[in-house]
Amino acid sequence: KQEVTQIPAALSVPEGENLVLNCSFTDSAIYNLQWFRQDPGKGLTSLLLIQSSQREQTSGRLNASLDKSSGRSTLYIAASQPGDSATYLCAVLNAGGTSYGKLTFGQGTILTVHP
Amino acid sequence: DGGITQSPKYLFRKEGQNVTLSCEQNLNHDAMYWYRQDPGQGLRLIYYSQIVNDFQKGDIAEGYSVSREKKESFPLTVTSAQKNPTAFYLCASSMVQGYEQYFGPGTRLTVT
């Protein structure tokens, strides 16, 4: 059964710092990996989606990488701002096993960027 | 303005009562999903539907029921058999199963 782990569980940084969030998954049979942002009490906003054949995706200050063979992804946030404070969730779309076609989520990293 | 709507945003119920959460989408998506989110546990799949009049159990379907009579709508009923119903419930849809999912704003259910 697919398991997704995110490290660290929480992160607090000063404004302007570059930071990296980590996501690992146990089963490399995936279609894609997606990074979401969730503000308190709100739904999920998709940030980046990386297909299994891709190595990275970029959007503005965000860059996500994927190493499918080792079961790892990182989300890099450049020049962090207080508005980046949120929970960041990683999810994989499974391509095999009993979880075929379903998303498996990590528990999230709570990011706080202080002025 | 396309998207997914969930109502209500907050819902309070007494223990032993059934309650239905609404999810509507105007994205013309075939697939729809219900997730439950508890603090520190990420999202867990309750039910999903690939097409109208068809749905399958997810990982934690016990105590829940769904229907898919219209493409746009996928209501979730939390029954009195659900032992710990207090949670944040999220609905999502995708063009077809396996494609990128888009999420609604969520409904926070509190049962006392």
Side-chain angles (χ1 to χ4, degrees):
Chain A
K1 183 182 175 184
Q2 178 76 270
E3 292 182 5
V4 178
T5 303
Q6 292 187 243
I7 295 173
L11 183 61
S12 180
V13 300
E15 182 176 6
E17 199 163 288
N18 302 325
L19 57 98
V20 174
L21 307 182
N22 296 290
C23 173
S24 62
F25 47 96
T26 54
D27 187 346
S28 62
I30 64 170
Y31 284 120
N32 59 54
L33 182 144
Q34 204 165 353
W35 282 94
F36 293 91
R37 169 186 172 136
Q38 186 177 32
D39 293 294
K42 305 289 186 183
L44 274 62
T45 300
S46 180
L47 297 173
L48 290 164
L49 183 148
I50 313 176
Q51 299 293 351
S52 62
S53 58
Q54 297 176 319
R55 296 285 292 182
E56 66 178 339
Q57 281 286 339
T58 298
S59 175
R61 295 183 293 110
L62 305 179
N63 176 276
S65 68
L66 174 63
D67 184 342
K68 197 176 82 158
S69 60
S70 67
R72 295 177 190 231
S73 176
T74 61
L75 178 67
Y76 175 82
I77 302 178
S80 59
Q81 303 170 357
D84 294 330
S85 299
T87 297
Y88 290 80
L89 292 159
C90 162
V92 296
L93 183 61
N94 296 291
T98 56
S99 296
Y100 172 79
K102 302 174 192 173
L103 279 175
T104 301
F105 283 84
Q107 295 179 338
T109 294
I110 302 171
L111 173 65
T112 304
V113 182
H114 47 90
Chain B
D1 191 19
I4 303 175
T5 58
Q6 292 185 243
S7 60
K9 186 173 181 179
Y10 299 98
L11 193 52
F12 298 89
R13 279 296 182 269
K14 294 289 187 185
E15 195 173 316
Q17 293 179 333
N18 292 353
V19 61
T20 298
L21 282 60
S22 169
C23 177
E24 304 275 334
Q25 55 98 359
N26 60 6
L27 300 168
N28 200 32
H29 285 172
D30 281 324
M32 297 187 74
Y33 313 81
W34 274 106
Y35 295 90
R36 170 182 172 138
Q37 187 177 32
D38 295 282
Q41 291 198 42
L43 275 71
R44 293 181 289 169
L45 182 65
I46 304 172
Y47 267 98
Y48 64 104
S49 167
Q50 298 182 59
I51 201 164
V52 175
N53 292 323
D54 179 69
F55 49 83
Q56 288 83 39
K57 294 181 179 180
D59 299 320
I60 56 166
E62 185 176 349
Y64 299 97
S65 65
V66 293
S67 63
R68 186 86 188 278
E69 297 176 2
K70 297 188 300 182
K71 187 175 186 177
E72 303 79 18
S73 178
F74 191 39
L76 173 74
T77 296
V78 184
T79 75
S80 56
Q82 168 50 231
K83 292 183 178 11
N84 297 295
T86 294
F88 189 53
Y89 291 87
L90 287 157
C91 177
S93 71
S94 63
M95 194 181 309
V96 295
Q97 186 182 352
Y99 278 50
E100 184 175 1
Q101 292 184 22
Y102 297 84
F103 284 78
T107 291
R108 184 164 299 280
L109 173 64
T110 302
V111 176
T112 57

